[in-house]
Amino acid sequence: MDTSSAQSWDAMYDSREQVFSGAPNPVLVGEASGLPPGQALDVGCGEGADALWLARRGWLVTAVDVSRTALRRAAAAGGALAGRVCWAQADLLAAPPPAGAFDLVSVHYFPLPVRPGHGPLRGLLDAVAPGGTLLFATHDLTGLSPDPERGFDPGAYYQAHDIAALLDPAWEIVVDETRPRPAPAPAGTRHTHDTVLRARRPD
C-alpha cells in the first residue's frame, strides 16, 4: 500500500467530522436498484454510504478504502449491518481484488489513473463475475486544463468512455454516457456533468 496516499486521505477525513452527505450516490441508486443482490465490491468506499445502501438491499458487500479514518466512520455508521459489510483497508491500485468474485463492482468518483498496460483497471474488470455488472461513474473532465501547481492532469484518469473502449466485445454495454450531475458540484470544483458506464460481463 502507498502509505503516503493513505496518510493524505486520512488527513482529509480528519479535517472534518463528516466529509460526505451520508446519502448513496444517485448514479448507484439509479443504475443498481434493479439488479438482483449478490456479492458487491465498493471501490473507494469512503464513509460507507454506498456500501450501506447496497447492504440494506440484500447485497453482501466488500467495501475497500485506503483511509482507516473513513473505514472507522463507515463501520460505526453501519453497526446494524455488520454481518453484511466487510470493511477492508487496501490499495486496489497496487493489489487487485479476487478475480471473478463479485456480481457488482461499483466505482464511484474514485481517481483511477491510467497506467501502462491498464493493470489496475484490468484488475477491477477481472473482479466482475460472469454475468456480473461493472458500474463506473466519475466527474466529466472534458475541457479541463492541466494544473501543474496542483499536480492535476485530466488526461491521466479514466473516463467512462475510455473504459468502454477497452472492454472485450463480448461485454454488454448498457449505459455509456455523459449526464448532468443530479447534485451541486463539490465545493471548490466546477463539475457539472458525470460520465457513467454500466456494463455486463458475459456469462
Side-chain angles (χ1 to χ4, degrees), residues 18 24 30-31 35 39 55 60 72 84 89-91 96 102 111 125 131 152 154 172 177 184 190 192:
Q18 182 174 336
E31 298 295 337
L35 297 177
Q39 296 280 346
L60 294 174
R72 282 197 298 268
R84 303 202 67 83
Q89 186 189 29
D91 181 357
F102 300 100
L125 298 181
F152 173 71
E172 177 190 1
E177 65 184 23
R190 295 175 292 173
T192 60

Side-chain angles (χ1 to χ4, degrees), residues 85-145:
V85 185
C86 173
W87 306 103
Q89 186 189 29
D91 181 357
L92 295 180
L93 299 181
F102 300 100
D103 304 293
L104 172 65
V105 172
S106 177
V107 188
H108 282 74
Y109 310 105
F110 178 80
L112 185 59
V114 177
R115 297 275 176 83
H118 309 291
L121 172 61
R122 295 291 184 196
L124 295 179
L125 298 181
D126 289 346
V128 181
T133 293
L134 170 72
L135 181 57
F136 178 90
T138 193
H139 302 301
D140 179 22
L141 303 180
T142 302
L144 294 184
S145 300

Side-chain angles (χ1 to χ4, degrees), residues 165-195:
L166 291 169
L167 292 177
D168 185 279
W171 283 70
E172 177 190 1
I173 296 178
V174 181
V175 174
D176 177 17
E177 65 184 23
T178 300
R179 60 176 67 160
R181 284 181 54 80
T189 74
R190 295 175 292 173
H191 300 303
T192 60
H193 288 70
D194 291 334
T195 70

